[in-house]
Amino acid sequence: MGVRETIEVTGHLMDSGILSRVLDDIRDYGGDYVIEQFDVGHDAHDPSSARIVIEAEDDASLQRLLMRLQTRGVNPIGEREAALATADRDGVLPDGFYSTTNLETRVRLDGAWHPVENPEMDCGLVVDESDDGGLRVRTVPMADVSEGMRIVVGAAGIEVVVPSQAPTSDAFASVGTDGGSDRPQTVIVRQVADGMKRVRAEGKRLLWVAGPGIVHTGAVPAMVALVRGGYVDVLFAGNALATYDIESALYGTSLGVDVATHGLEHGHEHHVRALNTIRKAGSIGDAVATGVLTSGIMHALVTHEKRYVLVGSVRDDGPLPDVHTDVIEGQRAMRAEVAGVGYCLMMATQLHSVATANILPATVPIVCVDINPSTVTKLADRGTSQGRGIVTDVGLFLEQLALELVADYRRT
Amino acid sequence: MGVRETIEVTGHLMDSGILSRVLDDIRDYGGDYVIEQFDVGHDAHDPSSARIVIEAEDDASLQRLLMRLQTRGVNPIGEREAALATADRDGVLPDGFYSTTNLETRVRLDGAWHPVENPEMDCGLVVDESDDGGLRVRTVPMADVSEGMRIVVGAAGIEVVVPSQAPTSDAFASVGTDGGSDRPQTVIVRQVADGMKRVRAEGKRLLWVAGPGIVHTGAVPAMVALVRGGYVDVLFAGNALATYDIESALYGTSLGVDVATHGLEHGHEHHVRALNTIRKAGSIGDAVATGVLTSGIMHALVTHEKRYVLVGSVRDDGPLPDVHTDVIEGQRAMRAEVAGVGYCLMMATQLHSVATANILPATVPIVCVDINPSTVTKLADRGTSQGRGIVTDVGLFLEQLALELVADYRRT
Amino acid sequence: MGVRETIEVTGHLMDSGILSRVLDDIRDYGGDYVIEQFDVGHDAHDPSSARIVIEAEDDASLQRLLMRLQTRGVNPIGEREAALATADRDGVLPDGFYSTTNLETRVRLDGAWHPVENPEMDCGLVVDESDDGGLRVRTVPMADVSEGMRIVVGAAGIEVVVPSQAPTSDAFASVGTDGGSDRPQTVIVRQVADGMKRVRAEGKRLLWVAGPGIVHTGAVPAMVALVRGGYVDVLFAGNALATYDIESALYGTSLGVDVATHGLEHGHEHHVRALNTIRKAGSIGDAVATGVLTSGIMHALVTHEKRYVLVGSVRDDGPLPDVHTDVIEGQRAMRAEVAGVGYCLMMATQLHSVATANILPATVPIVCVDINPSTVTKLADRGTSQGRGIVTDVGLFLEQLALELVADYRRT
Amino acid sequence: MGVRETIEVTGHLMDSGILSRVLDDIRDYGGDYVIEQFDVGHDAHDPSSARIVIEAEDDASLQRLLMRLQTRGVNPIGEREAALATADRDGVLPDGFYSTTNLETRVRLDGAWHPVENPEMDCGLVVDESDDGGLRVRTVPMADVSEGMRIVVGAAGIEVVVPSQAPTSDAFASVGTDGGSDRPQTVIVRQVADGMKRVRAEGKRLLWVAGPGIVHTGAVPAMVALVRGGYVDVLFAGNALATYDIESALYGTSLGVDVATHGLEHGHEHHVRALNTIRKAGSIGDAVATGVLTSGIMHALVTHEKRYVLVGSVRDDGPLPDVHTDVIEGQRAMRAEVAGVGYCLMMATQLHSVATANILPATVPIVCVDINPSTVTKLADRGTSQGRGIVTDVGLFLEQLALELVADYRRT
C-alpha cells in the first residue's frame, strides 16, 4: 500500500448508515483505513463527524476510491486545486476523468470554489469561460465531449454536498396527525398528493415518466384530469404509451376488458393504424389541430400546452412522428426539460424511468409506482435517498390521486 | 388397446375451447379417440354436440380417463348403474374409487338418478340411506371415510352437469353500458360490487378469505365498513390475519409506514404480546365482551355476529385460542360454513384461498385479488371457469370497493 | 349488418384450439358468423376443415376482421386479385393498407400468386418489379415507405400459410425415450441443445438475443464456450450487455459476489470507464485488435468472426461506438441479419427480445429464457406457437447448455 | 420522559450497520438516547464500543425497548437479577414476559449467569430446577406454558451474545482463490457445497426444508443422490412434497413436460390415488417395507434411515398418514429434530421455511433457494445475518449441487 488521503464526513453518520457504506466502499475498492478522529453526536439530534485516513495501492486507485466515496457525500480534507486535462478527440473523456455524482458539487479552480451548473451522474466535468470572463463548470455526457474541452481529472479539488435533509423527507413529511387510522396505501397516495401541491406552490415543475400500463389499467381519465388540473408540466415517455393512448382515443376499447389477463396483444393491428394515422397527420399536435385526435392524455397535453418528450426504443412500431428515434438526441431533449423540475413521478415504466433517474439531480424527489416490485426496487435503490418506491396498481393509484388533487374529478 | 366407451359432450364446444381440452386429456391419459358424430351449431348462438368413442388400454385406465373427462363436464352415454364397494378401514377409500369434481353431479343407483348433496372435488362418494328410506349420495373426504361405508367405484353411472352459463358471466355480466370510458380497474371493482349486491339480494351468503395483507395495506377501515354494511357473512383466515388485525387494534401502528418496503418483521414482539393478551382473555369473543378488543376486523365480525373460521399453519406463533390447530378439523369447520354461499372473495392469501377453492362447489363464483400474479393464476386456473383473477393492490381495491358499496364510507 | 365473406380453415382445428380463437376474434371485432360446413377429422390424426360465413357492418370492418383472422392462418375462399394503392408520402402507408402477419404469405396479382419475400408482422406489403420483369412482393415497415410505392390494401387476394407443424414441435420433439426419469429442467436444456444441433446441421444460423443478466449470473464462460463451439452465429443486444461484459473483462469482478442481492449498482463508475476505454480505442473490434480487450463474450465474437448488432436505448451511458443510437437504423441492421436464421435464443432481456420477435418470420423457433415469468409470458404468447418460454436461472441454464454442447467445456 | 437505562454495544459497529439499527429501534419505540461514550476501532480490524443511555416514557416501554435492542445483540450494563413471575394458567405467559430472540442468551439468577438451553425466538423463558438441584433456563413457546411455571419478566438480568462472526461468513468464506473467473451462480453452488462438507465434517447435521417445486423442476434424482451421499440428515416438509414425490414414483410422469407453464393442476386425480395408496399401506415406511413404494425422495429417506417431519396445512388432500395434522404438534416434532443441526437448506417453500426459521437458533446458517424473489427476501431478511438468499431455479441448483457433492452422480 502506498498513497493516502484524509477524508472527512459529517452528519447523522450512524443512524443514517452512511458510515457503514463508506467503510464497505473502502473495502470493496481494495483500500484500507484508519479512523483518526470520531466526534459522536451526543444526543439523538446532534450530527457526528469522522476524520478517516484512507489508503490505496496507487494514486489511480486512490482517486477512484475518492470518487466512489463522493457518491456518499464524503470529501477529502483540504483545499487543493482540481486538475484538468484536455479531451483530444470528440466523444472521449481524458484518462482518469472525474466521474460525476448527481449531488450538488463544487470544483476548486484558481483558488476559488465553482458550483457545477447541472449535476448529473456518470458524466465528466467540463471547465470553460463564462460570459463574464470567469470560470464555469458543467457536466458533460461522454457523447457530447468535443476535442479541446478542458475536463477535470482525479478527485482532488472537488466537493460534493449531501442534501442536509433527504429530499423525500421534505416531500413526504407533512402528513400530520389527521389520519390516525392504519391505512398505508391511501395515506401514501395523500402524501404524494401533498408533496405535489407543495412543489407546485413553490413554483417548481412536476415531471411525469409514464409507460403504457397507464392506458391498460384504465387510468387515462385520471391522468387527463391531472393534466387539466395543472399537475403535469412535462411528460417523458416512449412510443408505446403515446400510441396506446392514441389508439384508445381513435378506436375505443371494449368496456371492462380484463387487461390483467389479456395484456398487450401484438398483432392487434389497431395500433399500427393509429400510428399511420398520426404519421399521415404530420404530428400529434397536427392531429389535434385538425380534429383527428380529440381525447386522451396526449390530446390533453397538447391542448393544455404542456411539454412532452417521447424517446423511441428498438421494439417500436412506427414510430409516431414526435418520437426521437436517436436515443442520444432523446436524452438531450430530456435534459433540456429537467431545469426547474421539483418532483418526479414514475409510473409503470422501467426503461424511461431509469433513463430519467440517470439525468435528474439528487435534489429532485422521485416517486416510482409499479405493480412489479423489481422495477420499484431498481428505481428506489439509487445512490441517494432520493427515490421512494410504491408497489401498487398504477390504475387505482392514479384514480385515488385524481380524487385527492382534482376537486371536480368524480368517478362516473 | 382394448376397452372403449362412447361419450357425449354438448355446449359451446368450439368457442369455449372445451373440445380441445377434452382431446388433450385423452392424449395425456394415453387413450385414443374417434369422433363419431359432430353436430356443429349453425350460428354463433347455437350449441354444438359431439359423440366420441374413446379407447384405453384397460378398464382401470378407461375409468380414470372418464373421471378426468368429467372434470370437463363430459359424460358417458347410456344409463348404467353405478358400482359400489365397501370401505374396509377408516380413512381409506376402496381401490378404483370415483374421484369427484366440484360440479353438480348425479349417480344412478337402483335405476334412478340421485343428486350428490355437497359437490366437492377430490373426494369419494358415499351412498347411504336417507331418513325416508331412500338413497342419498354425498361427498366424503378421504380422512372422513369410515369402515363399512358404501363408496362409488369407477365412472359408470355418474353424470356431471356443467353450469349452463359460467358462474362468472352471471356474476359479472351486468356492467351494461353506463361506463363508457376506458377504465378497466375501476370498472372491475364496480363489477365485483354489482355481483356482491346481486348475490346478497338473492339471499345468499358472501364468503371472504383473507390474508394479513389486508392489514398491511391499510384496508382495515374499508373491511370494517364492509362488515358493517352487511357484505361479509363469513370469513376464512389464518392466525396471521387475525393476529395482525388485533395487534393493530391493541397497539396502533405509526401512520404512513411504508409497508411495501418494511414488510412483516418477525421478532417485533408486539404480535406475541397481542397473542398472549387474547389467550389470557380466553377467546376473541371474550376479548370483545370484556372491552379488551375494541376495534378492527375481528371486533367488527364479533359485534355484528358474523361467522369466522380460523385455521392454523405450521408457521404460527401463539396461536389465538380461536384457531383450529388441527388442519383436518379446520377443513371440517370450513365445510360447515359453505352451505348457502353465493360468492367468494379471496384477498391476499394463497394458502387459505386454495383450501377454500378445494371445498367450494363449481356454482360459487370466486374472485381472487392479489398483487402477486402467481397467486392469482393459481386460483383463476382451476378446472372450471369459476374463478376470476385480479392482479391489483388489495388495499386500494378494498378502498374502492367500500366506496362503491357502503354509502356512508368516506375517506377521512 | 351488411357485408359478408366466406372463409375456410383447415387443420387440427379442435385440439389446437384454433377454431375457438377464430370465433373469439369474430366476436371481438363485432362481427357475426354462420358455420356453413364442418368436416371433422374422424380420428385423432385426421385434420378437420370448416367453411364459415362471416359478416361485418361494413367493408372496412370486414377487411380488418379478415386481416385479424389471417393471424390465425385463416383465408378467404376464392382467388380474387389483391388491391393496390400508391403511397403519397414517405413514411405513411395508404389508408386501408394490409397489415402483415409473420406467416408465410402470398399475394394474388395479375392472376398469379406471388410469395412475400420476407414475412414480418405489422408491416405493409409493397409490390414492385423484380429484375426479370415480373412482380415481387415484400414487407415494408412503416418508416421505410417511400412516396410512390405500390402498397396492398384490404385483405382480398392474400393467403397465409400456417406451418403444417408448429415450429416448436419440430425443434423440440426428438427427446425420445432415453431419459426416463422425471427431470424436466435438465430435460428441457437437452431439448434446446438438440434443437440447436439439428438447426446447425441443416446449415441454418443460430441467433441469440441477450441481456446483461448473462454477465451478472456468471454465464460469461459458458457463453464464450458456446461462441467457440460454433453455436452463436449472430448476437442481438443492447449497450448494457456489451458494456458489462467488457467491464468485467477489463476490471474483473470479485469472486462470488452475490449479484442476486447486489444487482447492477448505478454510480459504480467502472462501467463508465469501460465505455470511455472502448470509445477511445475506436470500436470493440479495434479494442480487440490492439490488445485492449482480451476476454469475454464480445471478444469471442470478434475473434471468431461472428456477427453482432447492438442497438441502444434511452437509458444508455456512453454508448459503445458500435451501438446504433438510432433505433430505426438499429432495426434495419437487425433485419439484415435475419436471413438464414433457423433458431433464436432469447436470454434475460425483454426489450431486445420483443424487438427481435417483431421481425422474425413465424418459421423460426424461439426459446425465451428468463427468471422473470412476465418476460417469458410476453414472448411465449405471440400469435403463433413459435415461442417456447422457460422460466429459469439464465446462469445455470447456460452452464448446463455448455455442458451439453461443448465437449471440452469443464467447470474448473 | 422518565426511566433510563444504560446499554453497551461492542463489535464492528459501524461497518456492520448495527449501530444505525439500534438507533432506529430507539426512535421507532418512541425512546430517546444520549451517546455517553464511543470508542471507535482505530483501524479496519478493531472493534468499536459504545455506551448509550436510553430513555423511555415508563418502565414497561423501557423493558420492551430493551428486549427489542437485544435482538441486535445489545445488553444493558450491570449485573442485575432477572425478575420472575408465575404463569397462572396453561398456555398464557405472565404480563411483561421476556420475549426471546434466537441468539445465545444467559439469565442472571441467584447471582449467577445461566445459559438458555435452546434459543428460539418469540418464546418465553421458563426457570426450573435441574437434576442436580441447580437452576436451568429454557425457552417455552406460548402454547406449551403450564400453570405454575416460573417465567422471566422484563429485560433485566438477561444478556444475549451476538455471534462473534456471522454464521454465514463461517459457512461461506472459504471459497478461496481457485475460481478466478466471473461466474457467480456456479460459484455460489460451490460455496454451499463447501459449507455442507465442512458442517458434515464437524459432525453436525444437515437439515433440509423442501416444497413440491423439488419434484416439479425434476430435481428428484439429484435429491435422491444427495440423500444417498449422506447430505440429508433431516427433512422438514408438508404433505404436498411427499405426495407429489410419491405420485411421481407410483405413476411416473411424462418426459419433458413443461412444468413451468403447466404447473400443478388440481383435479388431476393421480395425487388423490397416491394418497389413498399410502393410507392403505399404513405409512410411508410401511409402503417401502411392503414394496409398494420403490423410488423417490421419501423412499430414499426411509431406506437410508434418515429423519423427516411432515406437517400439514389447511389446503391438504388426504393427508399422508405420516403428516402431523395438528400444527402445534408438528412444531414440537420439528423442535425435537433441531438439536445438532449445523446447516439448513430451504428449497422452494415459503410456509415450512418460515416455520423452520422461527425455531432455529441464530447459530445455524440458512441458505434459502427459490425462483420467487419475495420468498427469498422474506427468509434472508431475518433479524440476524444468519440467512443467505439465492434467487435461482431449484431444479438446476440441485442438479449442480449433486454434481459438486456426489462423486458418482452423472446425468444420464
Side-chain angles (χ1 to χ4, degrees), chain D residues 93-261:
Chain D
L93 289 158
D95 291 342
F97 67 94
Y98 178 81
S99 173
T100 56
T101 70
N102 67 350
L103 299 168
E104 198 185 321
T105 303
R106 52 184 196 158
V107 181
R108 192 160 182 90
L109 294 164
D110 295 351
W113 288 106
H114 300 266
V116 171
E117 294 180 2
N118 52 343
E120 177 181 331
M121 67 174 79
D122 292 329
C123 289
L125 287 175
V126 60
V127 179
D128 45 25
E129 278 192 23
S130 61
D131 293 342
D132 61 0
L135 291 175
R136 57 191 290 240
V137 189
R138 56 193 169 84
T139 55
V140 59
M142 202 177 285
D144 291 348
V145 172
S146 305
E147 191 188 327
M149 276 183 175
R150 299 288 290 161
I151 305 288
V152 178
V153 292
I158 298 181
E159 273 189 17
V160 295
V161 182
V162 174
S164 66
Q165 210 176 355
T168 50
S169 56
D170 193 38
F172 293 112
S174 69
V175 185
T177 54
D178 59 335
S181 59
D182 174 17
R183 43 174 64 180
Q185 295 296 40
T186 53
V187 166
I188 287 168
V189 173
R190 192 164 305 162
Q191 291 176 332
V192 172
D194 290 345
M196 291 169 71
K197 284 186 213 163
R198 201 173 322 115
V199 160
R200 197 171 68 156
E202 293 166 3
K204 290 182 189 157
R205 300 164 81 210
L206 293 157
L207 167 64
W208 290 70
V209 190
I214 296 280
V215 178
H216 297 102
T217 58
V220 168
M223 197 69 199
V224 167
L226 290 164
V227 173
R228 285 186 184 152
Y231 289 99
V232 181
D233 292 300
V234 202
L235 173 71
F236 290 173
N239 188 57
L241 166 70
T243 302
Y244 284 112
D245 171 62
I246 290 170
E247 176 193 341
S248 167
L250 294 182
Y251 297 102
T253 57
S254 56
L255 185 71
V257 167
D258 195 342
V259 288
T261 56

Side-chain angles (χ1 to χ4, degrees), chain B residues 6 17 48 53 82 86 88 98 126 130-131 133 163 175 183 232 234 247 250 256 271 281 293 299 310 343 372 403:
Chain B
T6 303
S48 308
V53 181
T86 302
D88 59 4
Y98 178 82
V126 59
S130 62
D131 294 341
V175 185
R183 43 174 66 179
V232 181
V234 202
E247 176 193 340
L250 294 181
H271 79 279
L293 181 64
H299 171 265
L310 306 178
Y343 203 90
N372 187 335
L403 285 169

